[in-house]
Amino acid sequence: MAGEGRREAAHTVTVRAPAERVYALVAGAEDWPRIFPPMVHVECAERAGRRDVIRVWAIADGTTRGCVARRVLTPERGCIRFRQEVPPPPLAYLGGRWIVEPVSPRSCRVRLLHEFRAVDDDPRQLARIVESVGRRARADLRALRHSAELGCHGDELLLSFEDTVRIGGSADDVYAFVREAQVWSERLPPVAGAALHEGPVRGRTACARDQAAGHGAGGGTAFSARVCFPPRRIVYKQTRLPALMSLHTGSWMFAQCAGTVTATSRHTVAVDPAGIGAVLGRGAGITQAKDVIRGLLGANSRMTLRSAKEYAEARCLR
């Protein structure tokens, strides 16, 4: 027992990948949205030697929630210690360690250890925490194993690109246009309907939209979790994916210089090989899937940016 009222939990998985690769995946927190499905956005707030402070936004119970965690990295021991600064109730404390131990040159064992305590040491809440921590730990280890074992092949499936439009007007207006997804159906012709749900903390939103179908890469109903940083940036992760993709994260960025705004849409996508044949036909491959995804997502982004340009420049003339 780690202390009065504090409990511990340990979960382990064996990964068919070198320990150095697996450790790097855990250490590189800013890439976690590519690895762990609940993660929407992670950024480093402070870094000093082997210590850092990371801000994490993740989906929990259908809501995008944020937290701040402190970490100590010890690569020579394959260890990363972590502790949430202010854990959400009913947690009074949450910390732990990632430990990556080599088994052979091509495999390793990953242990994920947690220490936690419930508010007022409530036994009913503690039972719920035990179940929740266990479920999340097992899911995280499965996701880490999957990503690590893909190795270089996983990199081949990734596609990142951006589109930029220059706008004469205010970054505040461009930001507002993109953020107000609930009225996209009135402003963007391909969008038949849209809804925006604001979470308990302003700026953490869930967005749903219905869009014209297109080769299993951009049509149907799309759900995204978004984190807003007014008035310069919106980041998101698509949580309901079309057949050609196993990952889609992105951002909208708005840089003001005098009376001009540089508005940029960025996408990172992972192709889902299992969906290629059904969507594009037998004989199609990863390169063709990337071309289709680039074309459709890029066209949607450029259409949104052009509409934002018209909106912001019209407001500038008033």
Side-chain angles (χ1 to χ4, degrees):
M1 196 73 64
E4 185 177 356
R6 191 176 296 186
R7 298 293 183 89
E8 297 177 341
H11 296 84
T12 304
V13 69
T14 298
V15 182
R16 294 188 301 274
E20 295 80 5
R21 178 192 299 166
V22 177
Y23 184 89
L25 292 175
V26 180
E30 287 148 316
D31 287 331
W32 284 357
R34 300 184 187 182
I35 301 169
F36 303 109
M39 295 290 179
V40 177
H41 181 63
V42 182
E43 57 186 37
C44 182
E46 300 176 22
R47 180 172 286 123
R50 295 184 172 189
R51 297 176 181 269
D52 64 18
V53 178
I54 58 173
R55 302 184 189 277
V56 179
W57 289 265
I59 301 168
D61 300 324
T63 301
T64 304
R65 299 179 180 178
C67 72
V68 177
R70 294 188 174 273
R71 303 194 306 168
V72 180
L73 288 74
T74 314
E76 68 273 13
R77 296 172 54 193
C79 180
I80 299 174
R81 292 182 177 271
F82 61 88
R83 174 179 61 83
Q84 283 193 15
E85 284 196 339
V86 184
L91 282 162
Y93 174 86
L94 179 63
R97 289 173 291 164
W98 289 89
I99 301 174
V100 182
E101 303 166 315
V103 174
S104 73
R106 297 184 179 181
S107 66
C108 62
R109 182 182 301 107
V110 182
R111 291 190 288 153
L112 179 51
L113 312 178
H114 285 95
E115 298 177 2
F116 48 88
R117 185 167 63 83
V119 173
D120 298 327
D121 295 325
D122 185 332
R124 290 174 298 179
Q125 295 290 0
L126 186 59
R128 295 189 183 97
I129 292 170
V130 169
E131 194 277 332
S132 176
V133 167
R135 182 175 64 250
R136 177 67 180 271
R138 290 187 292 272
D140 283 350
L141 289 172
R142 285 195 300 269
L144 178 65
R145 179 177 61 191
H146 174 74
S147 183
E149 291 182 353
L150 277 176
C152 296
H153 183 57
D155 294 337
E156 294 171 3
L157 299 175
L158 286 175
L159 168 68
S160 295
F161 60 92
E162 65 180 43
D163 293 287
T164 297
V165 170
R166 285 178 172 76
I167 300 168
S170 164
D172 292 355
D173 290 336
V174 183
Y175 170 89
F177 181 94
V178 176
R179 187 189 186 283
E180 294 166 0
Q182 71 274 18
V183 292
W184 279 3
S185 59
E186 302 168 16
R187 296 172 172 173
L188 305 175
V191 178
L196 188 69
H197 170 69
E198 190 88 50
V201 178
R202 181 169 174 78
R204 300 170 195 166
T205 63
C207 172
R209 72 181 187 275
D210 290 304
Q211 192 151 338
H215 289 297
T221 301
F223 289 86
S224 297
R226 310 195 306 174
V227 182
C228 302
F229 302 91
R232 295 295 182 261
R233 186 167 53 125
I234 297 171
V235 299
Y236 64 88
K237 183 173 188 177
Q238 192 169 343
T239 57
R240 178 180 292 181
L241 292 161
L244 277 182
M245 297 188 289
S246 60
L247 169 76
H248 178 203
T249 63
S251 63
W252 302 90
M253 292 169 294
F254 317 103
Q256 183 88 54
C257 182
T260 301
V261 181
T262 301
T264 301
S265 169
R266 289 181 178 171
H267 300 269
T268 294
V269 173
V271 175
D272 183 359
I276 295 175
V279 176
L280 301 180
R282 294 179 60 184
I286 293 171
T287 299
Q288 185 177 350
K290 286 182 176 180
D291 289 342
V292 169
I293 291 169
R294 174 65 176 97
L296 290 168
L297 292 183
N300 288 341
S301 293
R302 291 190 296 273
M303 177 268 299
T304 301
L305 291 172
R306 286 194 298 267
S307 298
K309 175 181 173 73
E310 293 174 5
Y311 174 85
E313 292 182 347
R315 286 181 63 84
C316 191
L317 294 174
R318 291 178 185 175

